[in-house]
Amino acid sequence: MQDNMMGKPNALKQVNLSYVRRAIMEKGSATRAEIVDATKISTTTVRTLLTEMQANNELVEVGFDDSIGGRKATRYQLNAERFFGAAFCLDGADIRYLTVNIRGEICDMGTFAGGENAAAAICDFLDELTATVEIRSIGIGVPGVVSGMSYARKNAEGAFENFPIGKIIGSRYGVPVILENDLNAIALGFGRCYLKTFPEEQCEDTNMAYLHFDEDCLSAGFFSGGRILRGQHHFAGELGLFPVSDTQTLDELLASPLDNHAYADLVARIVAGICCMLNPQYVALGGEAFRRDCLPLITECFSGTLPSKMSAEILYAEDPWHDYFGGMAYLTAEQIFADVRLVKE
């Protein structure tokens, strides 16, 4: 690291600060010795950085460790009220916003009009927000195919249209920006909420598929080991485009007049297909168009369909917006200290 940064003392300092911040954040709180051990940065440099961070109101002291013969070691924690992230969820003509702290906790939320230009509307909002709050990362959830800092979705004519929203916002504010497909964020939020509810389950061992039923499409996201599984273009699984015959897609079949038994049987078959391909531990079902009252029937139809080692437990996702917010809050907070990256020269 230091070889690459020779002659660039300010760049080296910023890298070291990034490592120290991450070490404290990952541990929750840490002593100077623990930070030195985690970062491999010299004791003198860590002492200097901690002093500067305290002067900048980045740290709070949360007590002392027991003495082993010398002075008691001060334990430090990052100040959750110092740096924030801003997340945005595009929702038709409206944009929903969140401000989050370094722990991923939502501090504020609301809605504002997106108008015809979502990027301009977000910039107007951020111009006001950054006048009073130090924003260190920006997350944007979008209903489309993500490619770098742009996303594409179909317009009224059925053709894909590209929106470089992440590039516009990133160049204006100079902080890390993450663009995420909405279903990926929903699946991540649901998965993380589930693990908080059942902390005895190990995150790295949990695999989950999330199926989202909208009025006009069936989509999916996949959560494994605490992370979202992303395809080549980062979008969630567009299951509704799967052809079920020469003339009909799965979306069209779901939109046809199905009674509850036919609907439950179809959804159970979809779940079985997901299990055969990905072998998830859980399959969560949700979305505005999902028939909640059919859940027991779906579970009954699915039961015994597959061998036990290929089967999954079916869950119900009650509030997709709650999950969406949770996923975007986590992703945005994760980027707050991601502004320094090492690049091999």
Side-chain angles (χ1 to χ4, degrees):
M1 174 185 72
Q2 297 198 13
D3 289 342
N4 288 341
M5 294 296 179
M6 290 298 290
K8 305 176 184 177
N10 188 59
L12 177 58
K13 175 184 172 183
Q14 293 305 315
V15 170
N16 285 338
L17 271 170
S18 181
Y19 277 118
V20 170
R21 287 165 177 154
R22 284 194 169 275
I24 299 173
M25 183 164 60
E26 288 172 2
K27 290 178 175 295
S29 67
T31 64
R32 187 173 66 206
E34 289 173 342
I35 297 168
V36 170
D37 183 62
T39 63
K40 309 307 178 187
I41 301 171
S42 72
T43 300
T44 301
T45 300
V46 169
R47 181 188 297 113
T48 301
L49 293 175
L50 290 176
T51 299
E52 181 176 316
M53 291 171 71
Q54 281 186 292
N56 195 32
N57 198 31
E58 289 189 47
L59 293 179
V60 293
E61 297 182 5
V62 291
F64 301 90
D65 278 11
D66 292 337
S67 172
I68 54 174
R71 291 180 59 187
K72 291 184 177 181
T74 303
R75 182 162 290 277
Y76 300 98
Q77 192 175 71
L78 292 173
N79 181 2
E81 303 302 319
R82 180 66 177 86
F83 297 127
F84 296 88
F88 302 91
C89 303
L90 275 60
D91 179 27
D94 293 327
I95 297 173
R96 305 194 187 203
Y97 74 87
L98 315 167
T99 57
V100 300
N101 63 24
I102 57 174
R103 293 195 288 262
E105 298 165 341
I106 297 173
C107 305
D108 188 27
M109 64 169 54
T111 305
F112 59 91
E116 296 183 0
N117 189 331
I122 290 175
C123 286
D124 288 343
F125 179 87
L126 282 170
D127 285 347
E128 292 188 16
L129 181 64
T130 53
T132 57
V133 175
E134 186 162 353
I135 296 298
R136 294 291 297 265
S137 67
I138 299 170
I140 309 171
V142 297
V145 179
V146 173
S147 178
M149 287 290 98
S150 301
Y151 80 100
R153 66 174 305 178
K154 288 184 178 180
N155 57 25
E157 290 72 39
F160 275 97
E161 187 174 354
N162 192 61
F163 300 91
I165 188 170
K167 182 178 180 181
I168 293 169
I169 293 172
S171 62
R172 183 181 181 98
Y173 296 99
V175 300
V177 175
I178 184 168
L179 211 61
E180 187 57 88
N181 172 270
D182 53 1
L183 251 295
N184 281 347
I186 291 172
L188 176 63
F190 181 85
R192 291 188 61 80
C193 183
Y194 178 85
L195 289 172
K196 286 180 181 178
T197 306
F198 300 98
E200 68 277 7
E201 297 204 24
Q202 297 300 311
C203 180
E204 61 272 14
D205 296 330
T206 302
N207 296 283
M208 181 182 296
Y210 180 101
L211 306 189
H212 189 79
F213 295 75
D214 269 337
E215 291 298 336
D216 56 352
C217 66
L218 170 63
S219 303
F222 306 101
F223 175 87
S224 179
R227 297 286 176 179
I228 285 295
L229 300 181
R230 295 179 175 87
Q232 182 180 1
H233 296 293
H234 287 214
F235 70 96
E238 295 296 337
L239 296 181
L241 300 181
F242 187 85
V244 293
S245 70
D246 291 341
T247 60
Q248 197 173 40
T249 66
L250 194 50
D251 278 341
E252 291 167 337
L253 181 56
L254 281 167
S256 62
L258 300 172
D259 62 32
N260 284 349
H261 280 82
Y263 176 85
D265 181 68
L266 175 59
V267 174
R269 290 174 183 271
I270 295 169
V271 172
I274 293 294
C275 290
C276 290
M277 289 185 286
L278 296 172
N279 191 214
Q281 182 181 4
Y282 304 105
V283 177
L285 309 177
E288 293 180 1
F290 178 65
R291 300 187 193 178
R292 169 69 177 87
D293 56 336
C294 287
L295 188 59
L297 193 54
I298 293 169
T299 303
E300 181 182 336
C301 291
F302 176 69
S303 178
T305 302
L306 299 172
S308 59
K309 291 188 180 298
M310 294 178 63
S311 193
E313 181 180 346
I314 295 177
L315 307 175
Y316 174 56
E318 183 176 1
D319 187 351
W321 277 109
H322 174 272
D323 300 329
Y324 195 178
F325 294 156
M328 289 307 303
Y330 173 79
L331 291 169
T332 304
E334 200 177 36
Q335 294 296 307
I336 287 177
F337 296 136
D339 53 338
V340 177
R341 291 182 172 84
L342 300 181
V343 179
K344 291 186 178 180
E345 299 179 338

